[in-house]
């Protein structure tokens, strides 16, 4: 009986190493909103939806699982940024610098990626349905891992890749 109580107690005691905290640094969130400049910042899981970040410099920043829905990032520098699993639905990314950025598993449905160079960007398992990719530069990637259904491709054609038949 004592062992059962001890085992249950051990399960209920919170441990600092069991669940790491990946939440954004509040000071970094304030800095990016106020100055649009935050190189190498921890913005993971931050809610920046609808924020005007035109021309922001977020190079090398961690935006893992951040909410960037409807954000205007046009002309921003996101070189080497970690945007994996980030929500960028309907975001304006026109002319953004995304070299060496990680967008694996990101949701970019309905986003504007016109004139963006995606040559050195990780796009694995990315949702680009309905995205605008006009005049974008794309690298060689596995199209099977992307949802491009309804996306406007660089040549102006509409993609059917990822559309269910």
């Amino acid at each position: 009986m004592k062992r059962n109580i001890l085992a249950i107690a051990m399960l209920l005691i919170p441990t600092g190493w069991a669940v790491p905290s990946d939440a954004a640094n509040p000071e970094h969130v304030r800095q990016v909103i106020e100055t649009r400049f935050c190189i190498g910042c921890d913005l993971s899981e931050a809610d920046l939806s609808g924020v005007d970040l035109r021309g922001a410099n977020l190079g090398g920043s961690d935006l893992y699982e951040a909410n960037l829905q409807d954000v205007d990032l046009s002309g921003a520098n996101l070189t080497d940024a970690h945007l994996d699993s980030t929500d960028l639905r309907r975001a304006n990314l026109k002319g953004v610098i995304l070299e060496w950025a990680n967008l694996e598993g990101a949701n970019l449905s309905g986003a504007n990626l016109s004139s963006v160079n995606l040559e050195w960007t990780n796009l694995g398992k990315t949702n680009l349905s309905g995205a605008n990719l006009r005049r974008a530069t794309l690298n060689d990637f596995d199209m099977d891992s992307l949802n491009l259904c309804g996306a406007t491709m660089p040549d102006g054609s509409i993609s059917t890749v990822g559309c269910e038949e």
Side-chain angles (χ1 to χ4, degrees):
M1 180 69 165
K2 286 183 182 180
R3 276 192 237 182
N4 289 346
I5 292 172
L6 180 59
I8 292 170
M10 293 301 289
L11 290 172
L12 296 175
I13 295 172
T15 55
W17 51 265
V19 181
S21 175
D22 289 331
N25 179 323
E27 183 59 29
H28 291 174
V29 173
R30 182 196 60 73
Q31 180 180 340
V32 76
I33 291 171
E34 290 179 5
T35 69
R36 298 182 189 165
F37 184 87
C38 205
I39 295 175
C41 288
D42 178 6
L43 302 168
S44 57
E45 300 179 10
D47 184 359
L48 296 168
S49 56
V51 175
D52 181 0
L53 295 175
R54 286 177 290 175
N57 189 345
L58 304 175
S61 291
D62 183 359
L63 290 142
Y64 174 75
E65 289 190 348
N67 181 357
L68 299 173
Q69 282 186 63
D70 303 305
V71 169
D72 188 350
L73 281 159
S74 56
N77 177 10
L78 293 170
T79 301
D80 200 29
H82 301 278
L83 295 151
D84 37 322
S85 301
T86 298
D87 188 348
L88 287 152
R89 286 179 286 170
R90 299 174 308 278
N92 183 5
L93 299 164
K94 183 177 182 178
V96 167
I97 302 168
L98 282 168
E99 292 161 353
W100 303 107
N102 182 6
L103 285 160
E104 185 170 2
N107 188 348
L108 289 146
S109 62
N112 180 6
L113 290 151
S114 62
S115 303
V116 172
N117 184 351
L118 297 168
E119 268 190 307
W120 303 105
T121 305
N122 180 0
L123 293 171
K125 300 177 186 165
T126 301
N127 181 358
L128 290 160
S129 63
N132 178 3
L133 296 165
R134 277 188 162 264
R135 295 181 303 282
T137 305
L138 303 173
N139 62 346
D140 292 327
F141 51 84
D142 180 8
M143 300 264 292
D144 292 333
S145 69
L146 297 177
N147 179 355
L148 288 163
C149 185
T152 305
M153 300 306 287
D155 64 0
S157 65
I158 303 299
S159 173
T160 59
V161 174
C163 298
E164 294 194 27
E165 296 182 25

